[in-house]
Amino acid sequence: MHKLWIMRHGQAHSVAPSDELRPLTDEGCRQVSVNSKALADEVFTHVFVSPYLRAQQTWEILVKQGVRFQKCQTVSWITPDVSTQPALDQLLSLKGDSLNVLLVCHQTFAGRLTTHFCDGNTGGRHIETAAIVSINAEVFAGQCGMLQGILSSY
């Protein structure tokens, strides 16, 4: 059984030179720090992080909080407006038994990927800032995941 964790970045400032450069607020940093405790017992085989500043800052906080991992990669296929199919393709290509994967991404993507894995559609659901979605799956494919829970700081 594989585990997929989808974490939305913490609360970000609404004003910045571009969407890609929106930094976390102090509250966003606090949210991530608090929710990171849910990942304390995990060792991730793979971590994929959006290149956007707020996702990178979220990942930095997770690392400082002691999140353990084997491989980490910054990827553009988990940014806000990207289709979920490239993520499914990438996850399906991962080799190994009992993979434990963390994605640090954005609301629209996190919501769409969650419903794609669990319900087979990309309608999306709202994922709060710094929330962590936990999904178990025999295979990383649409409608093959079982939602284990959503940890939110709200």
Side-chain angles (χ1 to χ4, degrees), residues 89-100:
D89 293 344
Q90 178 66 40
L91 293 171
L92 194 56
S93 75
L94 297 175
K95 304 294 184 221
D97 297 324
S98 302
L99 296 171
N100 195 15

Side-chain angles (χ1 to χ4, degrees), residues 3-7 39 44-49 59 62 67-69 71 73 78 91 100-104 132-133:
K3 291 175 82 174
L4 177 66
W5 304 80
I6 304 169
M7 182 172 192
L39 305 176
F44 296 102
T45 56
H46 299 81
V47 177
F48 298 101
V49 183
W59 174 239
L62 293 175
V67 169
R68 296 170 295 157
F69 62 98
K71 298 176 188 175
Q73 187 176 359
I78 58 175
L91 293 171
N100 195 15
V101 179
L102 172 64
L103 306 180
V104 180
I132 303 170
V133 177

Side-chain angles (χ1 to χ4, degrees), residues 7 23 25 27 33 65 71 86 93 101 119 124 131 136 139 146:
M7 182 172 192
T25 63
E27 173 62 12
S33 185
Q65 293 295 324
K71 298 176 188 175
S93 75
V101 179
D119 303 330
N136 286 348
V139 62
M146 176 176 278

Side-chain angles (χ1 to χ4, degrees), residues 31-139:
Q31 292 170 336
V32 173
S33 185
V34 167
N35 286 357
S36 70
K37 292 173 181 68
L39 305 176
D41 294 331
E42 301 297 326
V43 177
F44 296 102
T45 56
H46 299 81
V47 177
F48 298 101
V49 183
S50 163
Y52 286 23
L53 178 59
R54 57 196 180 273
Q56 291 289 316
Q57 290 175 318
T58 296
W59 174 239
E60 289 170 10
I61 293 168
L62 293 175
V63 170
K64 285 179 185 171
Q65 293 295 324
V67 169
R68 296 170 295 157
F69 62 98
Q70 295 170 1
K71 298 176 188 175
C72 179
Q73 187 176 359
T74 296
V75 295
S76 61
W77 48 260
I78 58 175
T79 53
D81 298 320
V82 173
S83 159
T84 56
Q85 194 58 53
L88 289 174
D89 293 344
Q90 178 66 40
L91 293 171
L92 194 56
S93 75
L94 297 175
K95 304 294 184 221
D97 297 324
S98 302
L99 296 171
N100 195 15
V101 179
L102 172 64
L103 306 180
V104 180
C105 56
H106 308 273
Q107 158 44 33
T108 53
F109 183 85
R112 287 183 283 116
L113 189 62
T114 298
T115 58
H116 197 160
F117 265 115
C118 298
D119 303 330
N121 67 65
T122 57
R125 66 184 304 151
H126 182 72
I127 307 295
E128 299 289 346
T129 53
I132 303 170
V133 177
S134 174
I135 298 171
N136 286 348
E138 294 275 338
V139 62

